[in-house]
Amino acid sequence: MRILAALCWLLAPALAHAETKPVVPDPAVLHDLAPTGTLRAAINLGNPVLAQAGPGGPAGVSVDLARALAARLGVPVAFVTFPGAGAVSGSAGSGTWDICFLAIDPKRAEGIAFTAPYVLIAGSYLVPESSPIRSPEAVDRDGVRVSVGRGSAYDLFLSRSLKHATLVRAPTSAEAITAFAQDGLEAAAGVAQPLAVYAAAHPEVRLLPGHFMEIPQAMGLPVGRPAGAAYLADFLAQAKRDGLVRRGLEVSGQDPGLAAP
């Protein structure tokens, strides 16, 4: 037993190295995911559930996934940060990033190939405390102005689904909340978590119960890169099985229960 224990102790560094050593993928995968030799990850800082800005650079579950993918590919990672999701999806054909972290949407899918979701969040509404609106369904009526972040998943969704209310677009989701408050709008749409934080600090507004949409957050890459798309899908499936998504959410102060199954 002592000999076996000593042998395990001697082999431990080698085994750990073997587990973390990247497996060199097919050249077509590297061409699709890291054509410059570096994995360039677009990070949307407008959604604090997925990423947060910090003095040492961005952090959060999307950043953790990008680092893990780069390690698996055996390439360095570089983060290309954006203030909102619309800016990320709008630059899909610019060649400035290789992977992104965005909500799945049919319009975006014209230029971005998405994986399965890794996080499921809700789209909710803020309204003034004195508002007669009591449910998400009651928002869609004449005279109701809804503040949204331009190009966000809820902007795209509400553009298709609202029949009577009017959308008022701000450059980012954070600025949409500011516009709602400053301009006296009837509602603000956004990710439930930051809206709840705002409502907790501002008693003059309240978060409507329920939600108007579920927002499936996924990894993606520009269309036309089939080898990279297949590899990315396999990577994310493994990351979910290994608990990387849940851990990334928890470490960054988010609810690990938001992880997609």
Side-chain angles (χ1 to χ4, degrees), residues 115-128:
T115 64
Y118 67 96
V119 163
L120 299 174
I121 56 181
S124 300
Y125 289 118
L126 274 182
V127 297

Side-chain angles (χ1 to χ4, degrees), residues 31-203:
H31 178 270
D32 284 355
L33 290 175
T36 65
T38 295
L39 178 68
R40 299 169 299 169
I43 302 297
N44 168 27
L45 295 176
N47 187 338
V49 174
L50 306 182
Q52 308 89 40
V61 63
S62 59
V63 174
D64 293 343
L65 286 169
R67 291 190 193 279
L69 176 60
R72 179 168 162 176
L73 292 171
V75 299
V77 63
F79 299 111
V80 186
T81 59
F82 293 84
V88 179
S89 58
S91 62
S94 68
T96 57
W97 51 262
D98 304 311
I99 63 166
C100 65
F101 299 84
L102 289 173
I104 299 171
D105 182 85
K107 182 64 176 177
R108 290 176 178 169
E110 295 174 5
I112 298 171
F114 287 104
T115 64
Y118 67 96
V119 163
L120 299 174
I121 56 181
S124 300
Y125 289 118
L126 274 182
V127 297
E129 175 59 39
S130 60
S131 172
I133 298 173
R134 297 292 171 181
S135 69
E137 295 75 20
V139 169
D140 191 16
R141 62 184 187 183
D142 294 336
V144 173
R145 298 164 297 170
V146 182
S147 184
V148 296
R150 185 181 303 276
S152 63
Y154 26 94
D155 176 17
L156 299 175
F157 176 84
L158 293 174
S159 295
R160 295 189 295 267
S161 61
L162 292 181
K163 306 303 180 185
H164 302 282
T166 301
L167 293 178
V168 179
R169 295 178 175 86
T172 67
S173 296
E175 290 172 282
I177 298 176
T178 301
F180 157 73
Q182 291 183 348
D183 299 340
L185 303 182
E186 288 72 34
V191 172
Q193 284 78 7
L195 293 186
V197 170
Y198 185 89
H202 297 80

